[in-house]
Amino acid sequence: MKLKLRIAMALLCGVLLTAFWSCEKDDEIGFEASELRLVFEDNFDGAEGASINTDNWNFEIGNGENGWGNQELQYYTDRPENVSLDGEGNMVITARRESFAGFEFTSARITTKDKFEQKYGRWEARIKMPGGRGIWPAFWMLGANIETEPDNDPNTVPWPFVGEIDITELRGQEPSTTIGSIHGPGYSGGGAISGEYELEGERFDKDFYVFAIEWHPDYIDFFIDDIRFNQITIDDLPQGVEEWPFNENPFFMLMNIAVGGSFVGFPVEGTPFPQQMVVDYVRVYDIVD
Amino acid sequence: MRKIFRKRTVVYLLPAVLLALILGCQPDDNNLPEASFPDIAEVFLDVFSPGLQYDAFGTSNVTAFDVDNEVAFESSASLRFDVPNTSDPNGGFAGGVFTVEGGRNLTNYNVLTFYARASKGENIDIIGFGLTFQGETYRTDALGLQVGTDWQQYYIPIPNGAKLEQEGGMLWLAEAADDGSSYQLWIDEVKFDNLNTIIQESAAILEGQDQVIPDNVGDTFSISGASVTYNLPNGLLQSVSAAPAYFDYVSSNESIATVDETGLVTVVGEGVAFITATLGGAEVEGSLQIGMEPLPPSPNVDDSNAAAVSMPVGFESTTLTYDIEGFEGAASSIITNPDPTGINPTNRVVSTTKTNGSAFFAGTLLNLEVPIDFSTSEIFTMKTWSPKANIPVRLALENQAIGGDSQVFIDVNTSMTNQWEELVFNFTGQIDGAIAYDRVIVFFEFIPDLPGDGSTYYYDDLYIAGSDPVNGGGGGGGGGNLLANGDFEGGATAWFGNAFNIQCDGGNCFNFADIAVAGQPFDVNLSQIVEIVQGESYTFTFEAATDPGTGTRTIIAGIGLNEAPFTADTEVVTLTETLQTFEYTFTASFGLANSRVLFDMGAETGVVVIDNVSLIQN
């Protein structure tokens, strides 16, 4: 019953959202409706300059195919200059303007693929974002059965069929706005289903914020701190589109700073560098109703 | 609406000149009681805000400004400047100052914002606030602000709002047309604001440099070159030049140097002190060091093989002619060292005798064939031998052609009798980079009106601190590695190319490339720019290997042009899984500054590891 009440609240909020792009805090009753059980946690404790825990994380290296499909300009490395602990309980991903391996920028992209994957739950991270024209940070998720190179394995499927959930991404030239999206077949890339949340007179690159989703069968709620700013449900799919790849497979997480690319445009001379994405913690919970 | 337009005749420098100057530092306020000045944010929305008045610069086109009631940003009026032709006999630029009598309390604000557009794309030379005809203690300027034909919002952040308890300078600008032809500039919605969406990225004094000045007691020095850089709400950087008074200063030793709130440093004692600054509590880049730590004794100069009389000079060459001249009664020559002990055991030195009754300024000059290179430091050291302690030795430097008008000098006292000692002449801050100093003049016992008494003095080892004490005579190889970061321990510097990929293992870094698809050799390349001189011989050395998975493979290595026609002198090198050292000697068949060492590895697949690369001119 309580869950239903919560959904009702969410729908009401969703209606308001179209007018204001912001929602007030959820009704207290809604939050008490379900219990969160911690299943994954990385607090990034360790010495300054130390590597992140590779039991949890993989490094992705290079520039992918065509800038990871987005004409991105950075070369991802696993060097401490691009990703390491800061000794104060944070992980720092740093995008730099430097010549490296034939590219003008370096950065880092880490994933939990094959190390932590699950279906549903609350996925959250406390992050101080980078901000600057042409900078594209993201905390996001992909279906664990993603096909990275063409194969004949029926168990793997390529993007966008595999599904993508963007807990947050932002355009560095709009440092007050976070975007939460889902991508699937028929609604990917520029056609993704998205909701934005704009801070009033503040910036995501000035302080830490908790970015989270709560992923349930048939719907996903998006949060900034305790504010649920969007809900995307199976009913939001574009007309004629039916595939909702978010009820089938576990997903893994990714965190990265891209530089340039089709989503954000290119950095310019006046773009500040280096750029840092400072992550206090990443946590994943089961939601027990 | 209250409008006061006045023309004030003030001495006003051209904008370009003004850029470089922060004029006098008189505080705007004179210890008035605790401020209760109005904190009005608006400067100009539709009308002049309370108390605002405009004064044109006397040398500007004084009728350039008016309020425009037709063109405005979402309002009914704007500030319009009819920027004149730069050739306009009534004044070639537009500019003036918006002030409020008595001033306002701006401590609650962190930025001045406004909208602007122009009749054509332009750059506003200077626009800012904090300038009045009474003073400019907290002047803040944005330089070269681009303005287009659509309204855009602009931000001039306040470096430290807490200081602005009484500020009369609300807005000022000085603008000459970029291409010389007249146009119109509109400014609207001018107000102070407090925005959390502006982030301070960095701040600096002294252009961010760590500068050093001598500890000459009584000297003063004004901190300048202050700037602050912000990340604006659109994710772009903007720098403002900031008055030094925004910063808080501290001296590490008040008995050596003091600093006041405007950044005026006064040297009050001998020794070493540091002036550093904070802005709003945060450290800023740049510092001022007063005085130098004592230097270790400089090495003995060996110029026995020098090709010319140039610094350093040890007077050891038997083939060069040292152009030495004693004047005004000084008898000077090069002799065998009469006391080859202590810090100066070398063979030959200069002897100079101040003959009886000679002028107090009798001395010895040495003409150099090559001007002194001060790129290492501006500290000149010299070894002296004197029969008297505590007499001043004057060392003067000048250009032979200009003579005395180009002279800089420093007096340092001897401290010992009848033994070699080293005197340090710190010219830091005195050297004029535009002057070629090619004459060294030495005076002993430089005491006005004291005639010579027949004493004989010796000196030797003219040396610039930190430079190479061996004068090899220039030209030729010199034997050093011409490449930077040849061991790849220096990170992502010097090298380029799509094969550039540093990896580190067990404390050693190297370049690692793994070629997946074979193509043209130059498809996968590692290079570093180095000047190559045609016909010269070079030895190229490096270590390289592949991995067990690859087994063996080849690469192309050598030197070549970094531009068309890409002429190169190369070798095909066969790599195995064992790290080998390869050494090749090339006589360059080409020559250009834009040349390089190159490794082309795209013709075959597999791993290429490269380390410890050097190129030496033979």
Side-chain angles (χ1 to χ4, degrees), chain B residues 16 22 30 34 118 137 215 223 242 265 295 300 305 327 362 446 469 566:
Chain B
I22 300 288
N30 290 314
E34 275 303 300
T137 306
D215 53 347
I223 299 287
V265 178
L295 293 169
N300 291 112
N305 292 318
F327 55 86
F446 192 89
F566 293 102

Side-chain angles (χ1 to χ4, degrees), chain A residues 75 79 98-102 131-133 172-176 201-203 205-206 268-272 275, chain B residues 195-199 201 230-238 491-493 495-502:
Chain A
Y75 190 94
R79 303 177 306 159
E98 61 178 341
S99 178
F100 190 92
R133 179 164 295 268
Q173 57 265 43
E174 297 169 3
S176 300
E202 291 289 348
R203 299 169 57 141
D205 56 339
K206 204 174 177 194
V268 295
E269 194 185 335
T271 298
Q275 287 279 345
Chain B
L195 299 179
N196 284 324
T197 50
I198 292 176
I199 300 173
E201 290 270 336
Y230 298 89
N231 187 333
L232 295 182
N234 57 10
L236 290 176
L237 291 176
Q238 181 176 306
T493 58
W495 294 97
F496 65 97
N498 58 351
F500 183 32
N501 177 35
I502 293 179

